[in-house]
Each structure stands twice: as C-alpha cells, then as structure tokens.
Amino acid sequence: MSSRLLSLSLSASRAAAVARQSTPATARTLATVSSVQDVAPRNHKVVIVGAGSAGLSISHQLLRTGKFRQDDIAIVDPAQWHHYQPGWTLVGGGLKHKDELKRPLPELTDPKLKLYNNAVETFAPHDNTVTLADGARLTYDQLVVVPGIKVDLAAIKGLQEAATNPDSNVSCIYTYETVDKVFPTIKRFKQGRAIFTQPTGVVKCAGAPQKIMWLALDHWKREGRYKPSASDSPITITFATGLPQMFGVAKYSKALEELRKERGVEGLFAHDLTEIDGNTAVFKSASGDVVRRTFDLMHVVPKMGAHAFVKNSPLANEAGFVDVDDHTLRHKKYANVWSAGDASSLPTSKTAAAITSQAPILVKNLVAALDGREPPARYDGYTSCPLLTEYGKVMLAEFKYGGEPKETFGQYGFDQATPRRAFYHLKKDFFPWVYYKAMVKGMWGGPKGFLINTN
Ligand code: UQ1
C-alpha cells in the first residue's frame, strides 16, 4: 500500500473510531458548544501528552507489551507534522532538505492509539484529569508528560525579525521556519566577521550551536575564504557561548578546545547574547558587563524553556520542568505521573539519543505501576551528542549523569573523542533512517540496538 493510501485508510479508521466514541455524538456540534464542559470525561488507561520523539517511542513501546487494547492509550498533540529535529544541523550544513525530515503526525501513530490532535489547557493531577483546548476532559490511570520545550525567538531582542528577514545575515537552525536560510547565508558569505552563539540556560542538544560553526568553517576553508591565522583570513570566526567552556563534559570539552585553538576560532566564554541591534551583537558577560561586538554574519541559538501549560501546572518544579525522580522517571509528588525528554527535570543533555535510553525505563516502570509494583528499572542519565567537527567527521560524545563518558564503541577500542568518518555516517545516514524505520515505532533502544520485545 502506498503511504498516501495507508494514511487515508488510517484516517478513515480513526474517523470511524471517533464516531463510535463521541458521547453523545451530537455534543460537539456548534449548537451545544457552550455545554462542552458537561460532556462526560473520556477515560484512558494511559494518557500521553506530546507526540515528539519521547511520546511516539513510549506510546508504541507500551503497545508492544501486548497489555493494551484499542484506545486504552491516548496521545495528545496539536501538531500536524512530526520533525526529525536532530537532522536540522544537517540542513544548516546543506546536507539535507528540511522537508525530507518531516512526516504527517497521524501517519506515525498506530491506529490502536487514540490521537487527540489538540493542545492541553490544564493538568489537574489530584483529579487524574487533563483538559484540552476544546474543553474535552481526559481521565487516566497513568499520565506521561512529554511535550518537549519551547524555542523562544522573542527572548533575544531583534532575533525574530533578523532570523526571518531574507536580507539579513542572521540565521538559526533551531526552527523549521528559519533552518533553510542557514546554508544559503553561509554560502554567500565572502568576508568579514562571523559569530556563532550559544545561550546560557537549557537548550536542546548542547552541541548543535558549535556543530553548525564547524560545518561553516569547513565550507569556508574549502572555498579558500578561511585560514586559521586571522591576519590573512578573509573570514574570522568567534564562538560566543554562555558556558565557561566548549562543552559540559570535561573529556569532550578538552578535545573541542584543542580543535578551537588549532583552527583559530576566538572563544568568547560566559557571554550571553541579549540583543541584536543592526550589525551589533549585545552580550551580557558572567561578571555583568555589557559587551558589544559588530558582526557581518551571525548564527544565533535562541533561549528555550518549558511550555506555559507545564510551567504553570502543579507538575512543574521551580524551573518549569516536570519534576520527576532522576532514576525512575516517576513524578516526585504524583505517583501515577511520569516524564522524559526535554520537558522533564532529568539533569542530562536534552537529545533524541537520551530518549532511546529513557523510554524503555519509563515503560517498564509504568507497566509495573499498573500492576501495583514498585519501579524496577533505573535510568543512568545516558545521552549522546554526535558532534559534527567538519564535513565527513563526527566526534561521538556519549555520557551519563555526572558528565561521565559511556561510550558504545569503547569496547571495540575506539576513543570517541577522536572525530571519525564512521560516526559521521551514523549521524548523517543511519540515525535518520533508524529513527523513522524503528524508533518512533517503539522498536529502537539506541546503544542497545533493536528492541525485539519490551515485555
Ligand atoms: C541513537 O540511537 C539515535 O537515535 C536514532 C540518535 O539520533 C538522534 C543518536 O544521536 C544516537 C547517538 C543514538 C545512540 C545509538 C548508538 C548506536 C550509539
């Protein structure tokens, strides 16, 4: 069956399921819209908020345990499209097109799941209830909160305007709307001062801000426009980061610092971009100074943070993240609430690789909770950052809590701080393939390989 046919038949069967379920069938017509609050809540064994990498992996791994029937599991997400976000660095480097990385969300959800293509309005964990934007109420035995985080272009003054203006040399790989401006901007840049930024605070994939810099540097070097010694290089490069060093894990930070020096990139550490004022970038340094730098090209990584509906709910910690135990992924206050991925309080780097490790743990622990057992599985903080250091090479950083390396290929004698071509092909070809082929279907365990059975 072609994917279009498959999608049509999926939506037809889903429409039929919706028709069977609506109680009463007329409750959602215009005439009765004001009484939507009176409609009986719909109960599901498990409600999953978010159909990103975590939501799709978890919902399908749960289904694959064989313990759930039609519509036992509901998944809630207002998005029409699902994006393979780890691929956006490759788009910025001119290696992929953004449209080959997206799929219509309904095509990715098994027909056994009940998909609510809607936003969450509020959580009421004392009543085991989630209210949706259209007023519908869902009740649950277990709740999984995995809606990701918000990329906030508005938090840096002038960024939204500059990044969406086709004539400006400011670009950003972090949103679908802006990512395809990045490579043309790099390509047409002949000379001047280039700045690549990384903010303070939480970001998805803390390595991506410098991945795009290393690709741009390599592109300009191959074109003869970049040389490591600033005096005879048409282009100069600055990495301006809110962090005090190149990366949060000592082993990889050391290797990246060596690359930075060898390649003649200026390091402006503990500097946080606050404003873009024409051709001037305004930073706030850790010591509180305001530092202004002129630029001719700038790649900006926006501020990111919890969605308001999570932040303003009883589920959030002070920073706005879903407050779960670091190892069991269970909420610290509500024992039938779970979280993983970007929206969670888990103190590790926010990546899709982290989800490969978190999802099986959460599923095991949630299934045990349904049986009245204590959580049997523990997460060690595993995450990974395949760091593109040039075209054709990747440093495969893999680590766990405490910034301790946990390298999959260490057992074969590889030191993963050394950039390699094999890791580049993992990043560029294998991961995007296995993601849609297996991960979103609940069949990929990252370093553990394919998941044959999640029981
Ligand atoms: C991984 O499984 C994965 O998901 C498809 C990634 O893509 C985002 C990764 O970046 C990494 C590192 C993994 C981990 C898997 C192996 C084999 C190291």
Side-chain angles (χ1 to χ4, degrees), residues 81 83 88 91 96-103 176 180:
W81 293 93
H83 297 275
W88 286 352
V91 177
K96 290 204 193 274
H97 193 275
K98 67 178 185 178
D99 288 334
E100 65 186 285
L101 301 170
K102 69 177 190 181
R103 302 279 185 277
Y176 178 76
D180 50 352

Side-chain angles (χ1 to χ4, degrees), residues 84 86 352-353 356 382 384 386 396 398 408-409 431 434-435 439 444 446-447:
Y84 178 68
T356 67
Y382 173 84
S384 167
L396 187 56
E398 285 183 290
T408 304
F409 303 99
F431 292 147
V434 82
Y435 183 80
M439 183 163 162
W444 177 244

